Protein backbone atom coordinates (compact mmCIF):
# COMPACT_ATOMS: atom_id res chain seq x y z
CA UNK A 1 0.00 0.00 0.00
CA UNK A 2 1.49 3.36 -1.00
CA UNK A 3 2.07 6.15 1.54
CA UNK A 4 -0.49 8.28 -0.28
CA UNK A 5 -3.05 5.47 -0.01
CA UNK A 6 -2.30 5.03 3.70
CA UNK A 7 -2.69 8.77 4.34
CA UNK A 8 -5.95 8.91 2.42
CA UNK A 9 -7.34 5.89 4.25
CA UNK A 10 -6.46 7.40 7.64
CA UNK A 11 -8.22 10.63 6.72
CA UNK A 12 -11.38 8.76 5.75
CA UNK A 13 -11.18 6.57 8.86
CA UNK A 14 -11.15 9.69 11.04
CA UNK A 15 -13.88 11.38 9.01
CA UNK A 16 -16.47 8.57 9.08
CA UNK A 17 -19.16 10.26 11.24
CA UNK A 18 -18.63 13.69 9.69
CA UNK A 19 -18.66 12.04 6.25
CA UNK A 20 -22.22 10.95 7.01
CA UNK A 21 -23.16 14.45 8.16
CA UNK A 22 -21.82 15.90 4.92
CA UNK A 23 -23.72 13.26 2.97
CA UNK A 24 -27.03 15.06 2.51
CA UNK A 25 -25.22 18.07 1.04
CA UNK A 26 -22.67 16.30 -1.13
CA UNK A 27 -22.28 12.51 -1.16
CA UNK A 28 -25.97 11.58 -1.39
CA UNK A 29 -26.78 13.54 -4.58
CA UNK A 30 -23.58 12.25 -6.17
CA UNK A 31 -24.39 8.68 -5.13
CA UNK A 32 -27.93 8.96 -6.44
CA UNK A 33 -26.66 10.16 -9.83
CA UNK A 34 -24.23 7.25 -9.97
CA UNK A 35 -26.96 4.68 -9.27
CA UNK A 36 -29.34 6.30 -11.77
CA UNK A 37 -26.74 5.94 -14.54
CA UNK A 38 -26.50 2.19 -13.87
CA UNK A 39 -30.18 1.51 -14.58
CA UNK A 40 -30.32 -1.05 -11.80
CA UNK A 41 -33.45 -3.22 -11.66
CA UNK A 42 -35.08 -5.39 -9.03
CA UNK A 43 -33.18 -8.59 -8.36
CA UNK A 44 -29.89 -7.29 -9.72
CA UNK A 45 -26.47 -8.12 -8.27
CA UNK A 46 -24.34 -5.01 -7.74
CA UNK A 47 -20.78 -4.32 -6.63
CA UNK A 48 -20.16 -0.88 -5.11
CA UNK A 49 -16.43 -0.24 -4.75
CA UNK A 50 -14.97 2.44 -2.46
CA UNK A 51 -18.45 2.74 -0.98
CA UNK A 52 -17.75 5.04 1.98
CA UNK A 53 -20.77 5.22 4.23
CA UNK A 54 -23.19 4.17 1.50
CA UNK A 55 -24.14 7.20 -0.60
CA UNK A 56 -24.49 4.95 -3.64
CA UNK A 57 -24.72 1.54 -1.93
CA UNK A 58 -27.90 2.38 -0.02
CA UNK A 59 -29.90 3.67 -3.03
CA UNK A 60 -28.56 0.71 -5.01
CA UNK A 61 -29.89 -1.64 -2.30
CA UNK A 62 -33.31 0.00 -2.57
CA UNK A 63 -33.18 -0.38 -6.36
CA UNK A 64 -32.35 -4.11 -6.29
CA UNK A 65 -34.99 -4.86 -3.66
CA UNK A 66 -35.25 -7.84 -1.36
CA UNK A 67 -34.38 -10.32 -4.11
CA UNK A 68 -31.21 -8.51 -5.16
CA UNK A 69 -27.76 -8.11 -3.66
CA UNK A 70 -25.32 -5.25 -3.17
CA UNK A 71 -21.75 -6.02 -2.12
CA UNK A 72 -20.35 -2.73 -0.81
CA UNK A 73 -16.61 -2.60 -0.15
CA UNK A 74 -14.23 -0.05 1.31
CA UNK A 75 -10.78 -0.12 2.88
CA UNK A 76 -11.92 2.01 5.82
CA UNK A 77 -13.21 -0.01 8.75
CA UNK A 78 -14.91 3.00 10.39
CA UNK A 79 -16.68 3.80 7.12
CA UNK A 80 -17.90 0.22 6.81
CA UNK A 81 -19.03 0.27 10.42
CA UNK A 82 -21.07 3.41 9.77
CA UNK A 83 -22.56 1.85 6.63
CA UNK A 84 -23.61 -1.25 8.56
CA UNK A 85 -25.36 0.98 11.07
CA UNK A 86 -27.13 2.97 8.37
CA UNK A 87 -28.19 -0.13 6.39
CA UNK A 88 -29.34 -2.32 9.29
CA UNK A 89 -32.80 -2.63 7.69
CA UNK A 90 -31.42 -3.61 4.26
CA UNK A 91 -30.34 -7.27 4.45
CA UNK A 92 -29.67 -7.25 0.70
CA UNK A 93 -26.72 -4.89 1.35
CA UNK A 94 -23.55 -6.62 2.52
CA UNK A 95 -20.79 -4.27 3.69
CA UNK A 96 -17.20 -5.53 3.54
CA UNK A 97 -13.94 -4.00 4.74
CA UNK A 98 -11.89 -4.99 1.70
CA UNK A 99 -9.59 -3.82 -1.08
CA UNK A 100 -11.57 -3.21 -4.27
CA UNK A 101 -8.57 -4.04 -6.43
CA UNK A 102 -8.35 -7.53 -4.90
CA UNK A 103 -12.07 -8.42 -4.87
CA UNK A 104 -12.56 -11.87 -6.39
CA UNK A 105 -16.32 -12.29 -6.83
CA UNK A 106 -17.58 -11.57 -10.35
CA UNK A 107 -20.69 -11.90 -12.52
CA UNK A 108 -22.32 -8.70 -11.25
CA UNK A 109 -25.06 -6.99 -13.26
CA UNK A 110 -23.56 -3.60 -12.38
CA UNK A 111 -20.28 -2.36 -10.94
CA UNK A 112 -20.22 1.12 -9.38
CA UNK A 113 -17.64 3.40 -7.87
CA UNK A 114 -18.55 6.94 -6.88
CA UNK A 115 -15.44 9.08 -6.38
CA UNK A 116 -13.21 6.09 -5.80
CA UNK A 117 -11.19 5.02 -8.81
CA UNK A 118 -8.72 7.93 -8.64
CA UNK A 119 -7.53 6.63 -5.24
CA UNK A 120 -6.24 3.38 -6.76
CA UNK A 121 -2.42 3.13 -6.86
CA UNK A 122 -2.83 2.45 -10.59
CA UNK A 123 -6.10 4.04 -11.72
CA UNK A 124 -6.22 2.26 -15.06
CA UNK A 125 -5.40 -1.18 -13.71
CA UNK A 126 -7.79 -0.81 -10.78
CA UNK A 127 -10.65 0.34 -12.99
CA UNK A 128 -10.12 -2.50 -15.45
CA UNK A 129 -10.11 -4.91 -12.53
CA UNK A 130 -13.51 -3.59 -11.43
CA UNK A 131 -14.90 -3.83 -14.96
CA UNK A 132 -13.84 -7.48 -15.05
CA UNK A 133 -16.09 -8.15 -12.05
CA UNK A 134 -19.22 -7.45 -14.15
CA UNK A 135 -20.86 -9.99 -16.44
CA UNK A 136 -20.82 -9.44 -20.22
CA UNK A 137 -23.64 -7.02 -20.98
CA UNK A 138 -23.53 -5.63 -17.44
CA UNK A 139 -23.06 -1.97 -16.62
CA UNK A 140 -20.03 -0.15 -15.22
CA UNK A 141 -20.45 3.33 -13.72
CA UNK A 142 -17.56 5.38 -12.39
CA UNK A 143 -17.99 8.91 -11.06
CA UNK A 144 -15.06 11.33 -10.81
CA UNK A 145 -14.66 15.04 -10.03
CA UNK A 146 -14.73 17.38 -12.99
CA UNK A 147 -11.57 19.44 -13.31
CA UNK A 148 -11.51 22.29 -10.77
CA UNK A 149 -14.13 20.79 -8.46
CA UNK A 150 -13.52 20.95 -4.70
CA UNK A 151 -10.12 22.62 -5.00
CA UNK A 152 -11.17 25.90 -3.38
CA UNK A 153 -11.98 24.27 -0.04
CA UNK A 154 -8.73 22.35 0.10
CA UNK A 155 -6.65 25.38 -0.81
CA UNK A 156 -8.22 27.59 1.87
CA UNK A 157 -8.07 24.87 4.53
CA UNK A 158 -4.40 24.19 3.81
CA UNK A 159 -3.53 27.87 4.02
CA UNK A 160 -5.45 28.22 7.28
CA UNK A 161 -3.62 25.28 8.84
CA UNK A 162 -0.27 26.70 7.76
CA UNK A 163 -1.07 30.16 9.15
CA UNK A 164 -2.23 28.84 12.53
CA UNK A 165 0.60 26.31 13.00
CA UNK A 166 3.31 28.51 11.42
CA UNK A 167 4.16 25.76 8.97
CA UNK A 168 4.23 25.16 5.25
CA UNK A 169 0.90 24.46 3.52
CA UNK A 170 0.36 20.82 2.55
CA UNK A 171 2.26 20.00 -0.65
CA UNK A 172 0.20 20.11 -3.81
CA UNK A 173 -0.76 16.75 -5.23
CA UNK A 174 1.44 15.72 -8.12
CA UNK A 175 -0.47 15.79 -11.44
CA UNK A 176 -1.56 12.36 -12.63
CA UNK A 177 -3.88 10.55 -14.98
CA UNK A 178 -6.99 12.00 -13.35
CA UNK A 179 -5.85 15.49 -14.33
CA UNK A 180 -5.70 14.46 -17.99
CA UNK A 181 -9.19 12.94 -18.14
CA UNK A 182 -11.27 15.20 -15.87
CA UNK A 183 -13.39 16.68 -18.65
CA UNK A 184 -16.34 14.95 -20.29
CA UNK A 185 -14.69 14.30 -23.66
CA UNK A 186 -11.37 12.99 -22.39
CA UNK A 187 -13.10 10.88 -19.74
CA UNK A 188 -15.36 9.25 -22.34
CA UNK A 189 -12.34 8.42 -24.48
CA UNK A 190 -10.53 6.88 -21.50
CA UNK A 191 -13.53 4.74 -20.52
CA UNK A 192 -13.88 3.52 -24.10
CA UNK A 193 -10.23 2.51 -23.93
CA UNK A 194 -11.08 0.26 -20.99
CA UNK A 195 -13.17 -1.91 -23.31
CA UNK A 196 -16.60 -0.49 -22.49
CA UNK A 197 -19.15 0.07 -25.25
CA UNK A 198 -21.98 2.61 -25.44
CA UNK A 199 -20.01 4.95 -23.20
CA UNK A 200 -21.85 8.00 -21.89
CA UNK A 201 -20.57 10.76 -19.61
CA UNK A 202 -23.07 12.98 -17.82
CA UNK A 203 -21.93 16.26 -16.29
CA UNK A 204 -23.63 16.38 -12.90
CA UNK A 205 -23.53 20.05 -11.94
CA UNK A 206 -23.49 20.65 -8.18
CA UNK A 207 -22.68 23.81 -6.28
CA UNK A 208 -22.75 23.91 -2.50
CA UNK A 209 -23.59 27.10 -0.59
CA UNK A 210 -20.61 27.72 1.66
CA UNK A 211 -22.40 28.37 4.91
CA UNK A 212 -20.07 28.05 7.92
CA UNK A 213 -21.56 24.64 8.75
CA UNK A 214 -21.21 23.19 5.25
CA UNK A 215 -17.82 24.79 4.63
CA UNK A 216 -16.32 23.15 7.72
CA UNK A 217 -18.03 19.81 7.07
CA UNK A 218 -16.33 19.78 3.67
CA UNK A 219 -12.99 19.78 5.51
CA UNK A 220 -13.70 17.35 8.34
CA UNK A 221 -16.08 15.07 6.42
CA UNK A 222 -13.91 14.36 3.38
CA UNK A 223 -10.37 13.45 2.42
CA UNK A 224 -9.38 17.00 3.43
CA UNK A 225 -9.65 15.76 7.02
CA UNK A 226 -5.94 14.92 6.86
CA UNK A 227 -5.17 18.65 6.96
CA UNK A 228 -6.23 18.87 10.63
CA UNK A 229 -5.64 15.30 11.80
CA UNK A 230 -3.25 15.13 14.73
CA UNK A 231 -3.77 18.73 15.81
CA UNK A 232 -4.95 19.56 19.33
CA UNK A 233 -8.66 20.50 19.59
CA UNK A 234 -7.93 24.14 20.36
CA UNK A 235 -5.63 24.34 17.33
CA UNK A 236 -8.29 22.74 15.12
CA UNK A 237 -10.76 25.38 16.30
CA UNK A 238 -8.32 28.15 15.37
CA UNK A 239 -7.82 26.55 11.95
CA UNK A 240 -11.59 26.45 11.51
CA UNK A 241 -11.91 30.15 12.38
CA UNK A 242 -9.05 31.13 10.06
CA UNK A 243 -10.44 28.98 7.24
CA UNK A 244 -13.90 30.55 7.47
CA UNK A 245 -12.34 34.02 7.68
CA UNK A 246 -10.30 33.27 4.56
CA UNK A 247 -13.42 32.24 2.65
CA UNK A 248 -15.18 35.45 3.70
CA UNK A 249 -12.21 37.61 2.74
CA UNK A 250 -12.17 36.18 -0.79
CA UNK A 251 -15.94 36.28 -1.15
CA UNK A 252 -16.33 32.52 -1.55
CA UNK A 253 -20.05 31.83 -1.18
CA UNK A 254 -20.32 28.51 -3.02
CA UNK A 255 -18.17 25.53 -3.92
CA UNK A 256 -18.03 23.79 -7.28
CA UNK A 257 -18.67 20.09 -6.58
CA UNK A 258 -19.46 19.05 -10.15
CA UNK A 259 -18.87 15.43 -11.11
CA UNK A 260 -18.60 13.41 -14.29
CA UNK A 261 -20.72 10.26 -14.22
CA UNK A 262 -19.24 7.88 -16.77
CA UNK A 263 -21.07 4.69 -17.72
CA UNK A 264 -20.74 1.94 -20.27
CA UNK A 265 -21.67 -1.62 -21.14
CA UNK A 266 -19.24 -4.45 -20.40
CA UNK A 267 -18.33 -6.52 -23.44
Amino acid sequence: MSSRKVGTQRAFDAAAADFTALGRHLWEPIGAATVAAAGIGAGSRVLDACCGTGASAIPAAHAVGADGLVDAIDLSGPMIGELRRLSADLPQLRAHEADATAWETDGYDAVLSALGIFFFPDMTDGTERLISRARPGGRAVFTIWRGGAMVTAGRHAGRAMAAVTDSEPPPERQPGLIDRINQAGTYAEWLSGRGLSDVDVVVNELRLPMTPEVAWLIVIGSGFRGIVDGLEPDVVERVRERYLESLREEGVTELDATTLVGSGTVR
Side-chain angles (χ1 to χ4, degrees), residues 124-225:
T124 298
D125 183 72
T127 301
E128 290 177 351
R129 170 73 180 175
L130 287 182
I131 291 170
S132 74
R133 300 302 85 195
R135 63 170 176 79
R139 296 287 289 170
V141 183
F142 306 118
T143 298
I144 64 172
W145 297 115
R146 187 177 65 179
M150 300 294 286
V151 296
T152 300
R155 183 173 66 249
H156 281 266
R159 289 176 183 171
M161 182 277 293
V164 168
T165 61
D166 194 24
S167 62
E168 292 295 320
E172 297 219 356
R173 177 180 56 79
Q174 290 298 310
L177 171 62
I178 186 62
D179 303 291
R180 300 194 296 273
I181 62 170
N182 59 12
Q183 300 297 327
T186 52
Y187 188 38
E189 290 175 7
W190 184 79
L191 289 173
S192 296
R194 311 281 68 76
L196 296 174
S197 63
D198 304 316
V199 169
D200 183 44
V201 174
V202 174
V203 179
N204 185 30
E205 296 277 357
L206 180 61
R207 294 188 177 273
L208 298 184
M210 290 289 269
T211 65
E213 175 194 10
V214 172
W216 186 236
L217 273 177
I218 289 166
V219 175
I220 62 173
S222 76
F224 293 140
R225 177 68 172 252

Side-chain angles (χ1 to χ4, degrees), residues 16-25 27 213 217:
D18 295 314
F19 194 94
T20 300
L22 180 59
R24 65 187 180 90
H25 303 285
W27 312 125
E213 175 194 10
L217 273 177

Side-chain angles (χ1 to χ4, degrees), residues 156-157 160-161 164 211-213 215-217 219-220 228 231 233-248:
H156 281 266
M161 182 277 293
V164 168
T211 65
E213 175 194 10
W216 186 236
L217 273 177
V219 175
I220 62 173
V228 296
L231 301 179
D234 64 315
V235 178
V236 173
E237 177 57 22
R238 287 163 52 205
V239 171
R240 185 187 73 84
E241 292 173 353
R242 182 67 193 94
Y243 164 68
L244 296 177
E245 180 184 8
S246 175
L247 294 174
R248 288 193 299 269

Side-chain angles (χ1 to χ4, degrees), residues 117-128:
I117 60 174
F118 42 75
F119 289 122
F120 293 153
D122 184 321
M123 183 175 167
T124 298
D125 183 72
T127 301
E128 290 177 351

